[in-house]
Amino acid sequence: MSVRDAAAVVAAVLRPEIRALSAYAVAQADGMIKLDAMENPFTLPAPLRAKIASTLAGVPINRYPDGAARGVKLALRSTLSLPDWAGLVLGNGSDELIQIITSALARPGATMLAPEPSFVMYRLNALYAGMRFVGVPLAAGFALDAAAMREAIEREQPALIFIAYPNNPTGNLFETSAIEDVLRRAPGLVVIDEAYYAFADASFLPRIGEFPNLVVLRTVSKIGMAGLRLGYAVGASEWTTELDKVRQPYNLNALTQAAAPLVLAEGALLAEQAEALKAERARLHAALGALRGVEAVRTQTNFVLARVPDAPLWFDGLRQRGILVKNLHGTHPLLDHFLRITVGTPAENDALIAALRALR
Ligand code: PMP
C-alpha cells in the first residue's frame, strides 16, 4: 500500500474532529533551564535513590504487574489517612484518570462542563470520548463566576464537571462557597482536580464524605514524581468501583508500583521540598512584581503567573538565554501577554530573574 493510499483511507475513516487536532506539543528542552511543565526541580537524596535502585533491580519485569496495585494503594491510604468507605482509582498520571472518568460518563448526548481557561485536557478528553463540552468563562481576577456556573448547570444539566483547584494555568484557588454551590446544584459528578494540592492552602479531600457527587483527583507529578506517572482519584466507593471498570487491567507498571511507595513514605522530605518551592514562589512573585510593566498574579501552585508587556517577545528572549517557560499568549483571551513560569531551584530562579532584568 502506498503512502497516498494510506492518506486516502485515513481521510475516509478517521473522525474529522481528530483529524482537525494537532498533536499535544511538548517543547524541546534539551540543555535548557526547564520552567515550563510544573515539575519539581529537586532530585532525591542519594541514599533514597540507591534504595529505589536496589528495589527496582528485584522487580520481576517478565511478569505482569499487580493489576490492583495493592502496594501503592496501601501507601496512599496511609499517607492520606483515608477512611475505609472511601475508594481509590489509580491512573498512569492523572491525565489517564481524566480519560477514564470522561469515558465512563460519556453517554450519548451527555455534557462536560468546566471553567475556562483551565486545564486543556478536560476539553480534549471530551472530544476523544465524543462528549459535548461547555466552557464557562472565568470572571475578573480569574475568579469562578458563580452566577454563570449556576446558569450553565441549570441549562446544560452536565453529567460531569471538572474544576482544577488550584486552577491551571491561572494558579488561583476558587472561592470555597462557589465550589460548594456547584457541588450542591450539579446533577452529575464533580471532579475537583487537586494536582497542585501540595502548594495550596485548601483542599476538598477531607470533605469527600459531605458530597455524594464529589471525586477528588490528585497526582504525584508535582511533588517530585512526574516521571513515575501516578495519579489517583478518591471518592465514595460507589464511584470508584464503577470508574475502575474503565481502567486498563495493568495500567500501573511494575517499576512505578515498586518505586512510588518508597517515595511516598518520605513525607517529611516531600513536605520540605514543597515548603522550599513555596518560599521560592514568594521570591519570584516579588521579583516579577518589581519589574516595570509586569503584573504578577498571586498563585497557590508551583508556578507563578505574570502579565508582561509583550509575551511572545519575552518568551523568545528567555529561550535565547536558555530558559524555557510557557507562553500563554493566544491560548485564551483572558491570558493575553501572560507567561506561566514553574518555580525552579534557587539557582534556576536566580538565572530567570537575571534574564528578566536583562530583557526589560
Ligand atoms: N490536572 C491538572 C490541573 C494539571 O495541571 C495536570 C498537569 N499539567 C494534570 C492534571 C496531569 O498531571 P499528571 O498526568 O502528570 O498526573
Side-chain angles (χ1 to χ4, degrees), residues 20-105:
L21 288 176
S22 30
Y24 192 95
V26 176
Q28 257 309 328
D30 293 346
M32 298 187 78
I33 295 181
K34 196 170 179 307
L35 303 178
D36 66 325
M38 285 82 84
E39 292 145 328
N40 176 339
F42 301 120
T43 52
L44 296 172
L48 180 56
R49 297 222 302 267
K51 190 165 150 193
I52 293 172
S54 69
T55 304
L56 293 186
V59 172
I61 57 169
N62 57 316
R63 302 289 177 194
Y64 282 108
D66 174 10
R70 276 164 296 201
V72 179
K73 280 191 176 161
L74 272 177
L76 284 171
R77 282 199 168 277
S78 108
T79 311
L80 304 169
S81 312
L82 286 188
D84 288 343
W85 55 264
L88 268 175
V89 189
L90 306 187
N92 187 354
S94 51
D95 276 342
E96 192 195 24
L97 289 164
I98 295 169
Q99 184 168 39
I100 286 173
I101 294 167
T102 305
S103 58
L105 287 153

Side-chain angles (χ1 to χ4, degrees), residues 137-152:
L138 293 178
F142 303 130
L144 194 65
D145 188 335
M149 287 297 286
R150 207 174 298 151
E151 198 251 313

Side-chain angles (χ1 to χ4, degrees), residues 24 37-38 92-96 98 118-119 121-122 164-168 193-196 217-222 226 229-232 303 340:
Y24 192 95
M38 285 82 84
N92 187 354
S94 51
D95 276 342
E96 192 195 24
I98 295 169
S118 188
F119 188 38
M121 293 312 290
Y122 308 144
Y165 181 83
N167 191 35
N168 173 17
D193 180 350
E194 296 191 349
Y196 301 96
L217 191 61
R218 285 190 172 183
T219 175
V220 302
S221 293
K222 321 297 172 185
R229 308 306 296 131
L230 171 63
Y232 51 99
F303 59 85
R340 186 190 68 192

